[in-house]
Amino acid sequence: MLTLKKFEEAYEKVQEVIIPTKLMKSDYLSEQTGNQVYLKPENMQLTGAYKIRGAYYKISTLSQEEKEKGLITASAGNHAQGVAYAARANHVPATIVMPTTTPLMKVNRTKALGAEVILKGDVFDEASEYAIELGKKRGMTFVHPFDDLDVATGQGSIAMEIFKELPTVDIILVPIGGGGLATGVSALAKFLNPNIKVIGVEPSGAACMKASLEAGKVTTVENVSTIADGTAVKTPGKKIFPYIQQNIDDIITIDDEELIVAFLDLIENHKMLAENSGLLTVAALKHLKVTGKKVVSIISGGNMDVITLASLVQHGLIVRDRIFTVSVFLPDKPGELTRVSKIIAQSQGNIIRLEHNQFVSINRNSKVELTITMEAFGTEHKEKIIKALKDTGYQPKLQNAKGGVF
């Protein structure tokens, strides 16, 4: 069972390896939401995520015989690094099975920590099935990333730190994949203050916990599709589910598009890099139906590969109307391109790409198509540029730039 005594023991144990992640007051998010918003930046943790807490505490509870057998686990990345680091600190061999879709950065970092890495399956659940089978064949000790009460107890140390810094916290927002973090944080939070609200946040494309709570039993969702790879889980933990039922007050689901906006909010206003799963609780702030409360958003991790980072920046700018694409038709004669460019320049738009299609019509004197991708300050400025083009006789047509503009 999860007990206050075990949580206190775990809190003391993890202090041996964790980096203190002090709460950060976010004036920007507070103004946006009408609450006092604090960020718990576990993305700054030693392995880039909170997972080192549960892994390290779990290993401390194992017998010498269990350690000597070697450890095996499955992970989309963060638990992998946590187990690899904790295993190395305890001089224990570790094997990690990761989905084939795991970002390369997470794979390489896990290998760098001394673990054997095996890529198997498209999602966590498939990797986990393989890891369990392989562990049985090799006689290894399986360390589940979330459906383990010791692991959940280690993750709960986050709640202890939150209460030490902000005893009067009203709401804690916690990401949910399989449910280990939410189990530990919510159970300890309720021990310390039964009146606190702990709200789980999971991606809409992998809302297995919401489905399970609504069904009253552990439920598997058929398909998982989300950019939040760290929470892309089909089935939540069975051992921890009763604690989720008892201690989680609500579930908020987040669409991928909301994570893009949350990414820009953190990068531009806090110079903070969080992975997509870590952004869930930031996106959830706008879904809260209360004001004037002290809210803590747990930023669970920051392990993001460069390709994903570049994609989020690009799509974020598009969503915010800071980059947009229009096409206009004009006669194919000298000076027309200069005329269009001048209109945009006078409106303070900045052109970043041009495409001149002379073959849109067999009569080039009649029209050619000019497709323009440009920067703007936001929606109001974008509309100003479009109006300027219309006022000078052009009929700009907005293009769907989601396929990429760089």
Side-chain angles (χ1 to χ4, degrees):
M1 293 180 64
L2 299 179
T3 66
L4 182 57
K5 182 179 180 181
K6 287 186 178 179
F7 277 119
E8 291 173 338
E9 176 186 281
Y11 170 76
E12 295 297 334
K13 188 64 181 178
V14 301
Q15 301 308 308
E16 297 175 3
V17 290
I18 66 166
I19 292 174
T21 53
K22 299 293 185 181
L23 292 178
M24 297 173 55
K25 175 73 180 297
S26 172
D27 292 333
Y28 173 78
L29 293 172
S30 296
E31 291 172 5
Q32 292 287 311
T33 62
N35 291 299
Q36 296 181 47
V37 176
Y38 297 82
L39 305 177
K40 177 63 172 169
E42 285 293 289
N43 55 318
M44 304 302 293
Q45 200 47 263
L46 193 62
T47 55
Y50 73 95
K51 288 283 192 175
I52 189 174
R53 296 171 180 269
Y56 193 76
Y57 178 66
K58 173 64 178 180
I59 292 176
S60 75
T61 67
L62 298 177
S63 67
Q64 188 59 35
E65 181 183 357
E66 289 174 314
K67 293 178 183 178
E68 289 175 355
K69 290 179 180 179
L71 307 179
I72 188 168
T73 191
S75 168
N78 291 334
H79 179 66
Q81 293 175 72
V83 169
Y85 183 92
R88 187 176 68 176
N90 286 275
H91 308 290
V92 177
T95 298
I96 317 291
V97 181
M98 308 177 81
T100 56
T101 53
T102 303
L104 181 62
M105 181 190 70
K106 293 183 179 181
V107 174
N108 289 340
R109 285 188 175 179
T110 304
K111 289 180 179 179
L113 289 168
E116 175 192 357
V117 174
I118 298 172
L119 299 179
K120 192 74 174 180
D122 294 328
V123 294
F124 163 77
D125 303 77
E126 294 171 2
S128 181
E129 288 177 9
Y130 182 80
I132 292 172
E133 292 176 6
L134 183 62
K136 290 178 180 178
K137 291 179 181 178
R138 294 185 179 180
M140 304 176 79
T141 301
F142 184 74
V143 180
H144 202 287
F146 53 83
D147 199 18
D148 183 295
L149 295 183
D150 289 327
V151 170
T153 301
Q155 321 297 28
S157 58
I158 290 176
M160 185 74 78
E161 293 172 10
I162 292 172
F163 273 88
K164 283 180 176 290
E165 282 193 81
L166 191 65
T168 55
V169 57
D170 296 302
I171 300 171
I172 297 177
L173 296 173
V174 56
I176 290 184
L181 174 61
T183 296
V185 168
S186 62
L188 180 53
K190 296 292 185 177
F191 276 134
L192 299 175
N193 177 8
N195 296 318
I196 193 173
K197 298 295 182 184
V198 182
I199 299 174
V201 190
E202 61 183 347
S204 300
C208 63
M209 190 64 77
K210 182 177 177 65
S212 296
L213 288 173
E214 289 176 349
K217 61 180 181 180
V218 173
T219 300
T220 299
V221 293
E222 287 188 17
N223 298 309
V224 166
S225 178
T226 176
I227 61 174
D229 57 283
T231 44
V233 178
K234 286 185 175 182
T235 310
K238 295 180 180 180
K239 296 177 182 176
I240 62 174
F241 185 64
Y243 294 95
I244 293 289
Q245 287 180 300
Q246 180 180 347
N247 298 314
I248 289 293
D249 295 287
D250 195 8
I251 295 280
I252 294 173
T253 56
I254 300 296
D255 295 335
D256 283 355
E257 289 76 13
E258 296 178 83
L259 297 178
I260 296 171
V261 175
F263 172 80
L264 277 189
D265 283 340
L266 278 192
I267 282 287
E268 294 193 317
N269 294 286
H270 296 290
K271 307 301 181 284
M272 181 186 292
L273 177 64
E275 62 187 87
N276 292 321
S277 293
L279 294 166
L280 286 167
T281 59
V282 177
L285 289 166
K286 296 178 181 178
H287 290 260
L288 295 178
K289 298 178 181 179
V290 297
T291 56
K293 301 295 184 180
K294 294 178 181 177
V295 183
V296 172
S297 288
I298 298 175
I299 312 299
S300 57
N303 291 315
M304 181 182 291
D305 67 282
V306 176
I307 294 175
T308 302
L309 173 62
S311 178
L312 279 175
V313 170
Q314 179 180 179
H315 283 78
L317 293 173
I318 294 170
V319 168
R320 288 281 176 88
D321 285 333
R322 304 249 302 269
I323 290 178
F324 68 101
T325 301
V326 297
S327 63
V328 294
F329 292 108
L330 60 158
D332 187 17
K333 61 183 181 180
E336 287 297 318
L337 179 58
T338 301
R339 182 167 178 252
V340 172
S341 299
K342 185 177 180 180
I343 295 167
I344 294 172
Q346 289 174 339
S347 300
Q348 295 184 299
N350 183 39
I351 296 173
I352 57 178
R353 191 174 73 180
L354 285 173
E355 291 182 11
H356 192 250
N357 183 7
Q358 294 179 311
F359 303 106
V360 69
S361 169
I362 58 173
N363 184 355
R364 287 171 50 187
N365 291 324
S366 172
K367 63 179 179 180
V368 296
E369 184 180 37
L370 182 66
T371 303
I372 313 159
T373 299
M374 68 191 94
E375 291 179 297
F377 303 131
T379 302
E380 186 177 340
H381 187 210
K382 168 187 168 182
E383 292 174 350
K384 176 183 175 183
I385 296 170
I386 292 174
K387 183 177 185 301
L389 288 168
K390 289 180 177 178
D391 289 346
T392 47
Y394 296 103
Q395 296 180 335
K397 181 180 178 181
L398 279 170
Q399 302 292 309
N400 182 357
K402 289 186 178 181
V405 295
F406 297 148

